[in-house]
Amino acid sequence: MAKFHSYLNFNGDCEEAFTYYHSVFGGKVEFFGKFKDIPSGEGMEISPELGERIMHVSLTLDNGQTIMGSDSFDGCGGEAYKQGNNISVSINTDSREEADRLFEGLSKDGSNIMPMDHAFWGDYFGALTDRFGISWMISFAEDQSQNS
């Protein structure tokens, strides 16, 4: 069964926001990665200033739910940040087949932002906006211990 999580986008203050959320909700910060940490050869030219922005953060709450986020800007795989596009639904699936099925279904009459493919962090991942304007990120972790 797929797991659904909130994915929040920020305009350069993701680290500050998640430090605050951690102080409010508790839990455990599972990952804090910056754009400068992306391996070379991934086709992204990142300026030193943008390199300091958060590529991905994951905060697992004591009840097992997860809040994730990143800073967004033109050229990072989606739209630049603006009020209204700053939240997505992130789905972690139990199989590649489920990921493909959900991606295909949700992308019908929508827009494909990032097709399902192997991502440098190890997941099978894709992103889209459905026909209603909702942003979705779909992921299957080969290592199911990381599929939270």
Side-chain angles (χ1 to χ4, degrees), residues 5-18 21 35 53-57 67-74 76-90 113 125 127-129 133-137:
H5 306 288
S6 298
Y7 201 100
L8 311 174
N9 292 309
F10 297 87
N11 190 25
D13 55 357
C14 181
E15 186 169 3
E16 177 184 353
F18 270 80
Y21 297 153
F35 280 100
R53 289 187 174 206
I54 301 302
M55 174 194 62
H56 179 74
V57 60
I67 303 170
M68 296 179 281
S70 69
D71 286 311
S72 59
F73 55 88
D74 280 328
C76 72
E79 292 183 74
Y81 172 88
K82 67 180 179 199
Q83 287 284 318
N85 77 347
N86 55 337
I87 187 165
S88 298
V89 180
S90 176
I113 296 169
F125 176 85
L128 65 109
T129 301
I134 304 299
S135 297
W136 298 87
M137 299 184 316

